[in-house]
């Protein structure tokens, strides 16, 4: 079946360093979403990418959707302690309401 | 703002008990979902519902059932709780954009951390 993998599983960075998480799907996705879950919280929607090769920015966060629409990345420039949490990508299972979530990347920022 | 609420933040039950987890959303969303979240495994879909009284199995439905009698409420039922069902359970809802090629944003509840002893 369709699988969505994320790497790395964990990442510790010093405050001010950059961070990137990668999402890879076994099948082509019509779109991809990214969510952030703070420690003790629930996933919160960040962004959706639809077009092949699309790049979107939210302040220090840059999201990319691969040309083949099978992979995506989230890059954070100059991390801050407020960036701590787990970042998930999610892709739709074609033709259904089902969402396939990635395994998540847990980010820890050391002050 | 969309609000998704879950009946309990923490729940402790004994093996063999019947457990009900309730989820309510206030934005008239058609779709509702139940996930469980375990370390290293991400979010795994248990069941989802795209309309009242309609349900479909997700990836890990074994040991669970669901009920959706009203549009705003989606219940997850553990018929006979087992220790391997100890987990964080997350409910989510979304608008229906099926057929448009677009998947709409999911709004999550705060989660219920269930411990089965």
């Amino acid at each position: 079946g369709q699988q969505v993998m994320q790497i790395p599983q964990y990442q510790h960075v010093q405050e001010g360093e950059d961070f990137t998480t990668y999402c890879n799907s076994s099948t082509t996705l019509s779109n991809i979403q990214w969510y952030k879950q703070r420690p003790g919280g629930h996933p919160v929607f960040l962004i959706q990418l639809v077009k092949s090769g699309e790049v979107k920015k939210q302040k220090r966060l840059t999201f990319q959707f691969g040309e083949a629409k099978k992979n995506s990345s989230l890059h954070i420039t100059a991390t801050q302690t407020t960036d701590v949490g787990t970042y998930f990508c999610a892709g739709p299972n074609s033709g259904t309401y089902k969402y396939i979530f990635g395994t998540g990347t847990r980010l820890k920022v050391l002050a | 703002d969309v609000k998704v609420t879950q009946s309990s933040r923490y729940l402790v039950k004994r093996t063999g008990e019947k457990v009900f987890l309730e989820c309510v959303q206030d934005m008239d969303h058609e779709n509702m979902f139940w996930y469980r979240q375990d370390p290293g495994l991400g979010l795994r879909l248990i069941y989802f519902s795209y309309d009242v009284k309609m349900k479909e199995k997700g990836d890990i439905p074994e040991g669970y059932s669901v009920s959706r009698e009203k549009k705003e409420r989606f219940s997850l039922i553990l018929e006979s709780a087992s220790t391997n069902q100890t987990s964080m359970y997350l409910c989510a809802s979304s608008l229906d954009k099926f057929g448009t090629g677009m998947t709409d944003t999911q709004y999550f509840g705060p989660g219920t951390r269930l411990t089965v002893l």
Side-chain angles (χ1 to χ4, degrees):
Chain A
Q2 182 181 353
Q3 289 188 326
V4 178
M5 302 298 295
Q6 273 183 264
I7 54 170
Q9 190 173 1
Y10 301 98
Q11 183 84 58
H12 293 182
V13 299
Q14 287 292 138
E15 190 173 21
E17 290 182 342
D18 292 356
F19 158 77
T20 304
T21 174
Y22 299 92
C23 178
N24 295 290
S25 170
S26 58
T27 60
T28 301
L29 301 170
S30 59
N31 60 82
I32 194 159
Q33 296 178 344
W34 284 91
Y35 291 79
K36 177 183 178 181
Q37 183 176 23
R38 294 182 185 275
H42 57 274
V44 174
F45 175 80
L46 292 176
I47 206 160
Q48 178 167 276
L49 305 171
V50 179
K51 299 176 183 175
S52 169
E54 187 170 13
V55 178
K56 285 189 176 180
K57 291 192 175 184
Q58 287 180 350
K59 297 183 181 178
R60 294 177 295 102
L61 278 61
T62 302
F63 303 84
Q64 286 190 301
F65 199 10
E67 295 289 341
K69 302 182 80 173
K70 293 182 72 174
N71 56 71
S72 181
S73 65
L74 158 59
H75 179 81
I76 303 178
T77 303
T79 54
Q80 300 175 359
T81 54
T82 52
D83 296 324
V84 164
T86 302
Y87 293 85
F88 292 98
C89 61
N93 192 335
S94 179
T96 76
Y97 297 93
K98 291 170 64 172
Y99 299 73
I100 308 295
F101 276 79
T103 44
T105 295
R106 188 172 173 183
L107 172 64
K108 188 169 182 177
V109 179
L110 307 171
Chain B
D1 268 358
V2 176
K3 194 167 184 183
V4 180
T5 56
Q6 294 183 228
S7 49
S8 306
R9 286 303 304 269
Y10 300 93
L11 207 53
V12 180
K13 296 291 181 181
R14 296 209 173 271
T15 301
E17 279 192 82
K18 190 169 186 175
V19 182
F20 292 87
L21 302 182
E22 302 282 338
C23 175
V24 177
Q25 51 95 2
D26 66 357
M27 282 302 289
D28 204 35
H29 284 173
E30 290 83 3
N31 304 328
M32 296 188 75
F33 308 82
W34 275 107
Y35 296 90
R36 65 177 281 176
Q37 183 175 20
D38 301 288
L41 297 177
L43 279 71
R44 293 181 293 166
L45 182 64
I46 305 172
Y47 266 98
F48 65 100
S49 169
Y50 51 91
D51 201 351
V52 175
K53 297 191 187 292
M54 305 304 287
K55 60 186 179 185
E56 284 200 23
K57 293 179 180 179
D59 299 315
I60 50 165
E62 296 78 20
Y64 304 95
S65 62
V66 290
S67 172
R68 192 163 180 204
E69 296 296 319
K70 293 185 177 181
K71 192 174 184 180
E72 67 271 18
R73 188 179 297 269
F74 192 34
S75 302
L76 180 69
I77 303 150
L78 287 66
E79 294 290 340
S80 178
S82 62
T83 53
N84 62 15
Q85 291 179 310
T86 292
S87 185
M88 170 67 83
Y89 290 87
L90 289 161
C91 175
S93 72
S94 74
L95 280 172
D96 180 12
K97 286 191 175 179
F98 187 63
T100 66
M102 296 290 289
T103 304
D104 204 9
T105 305
Q106 287 187 89
Y107 296 88
F108 285 84
T112 296
R113 185 165 293 283
L114 172 67
T115 301
V116 182
L117 302 175

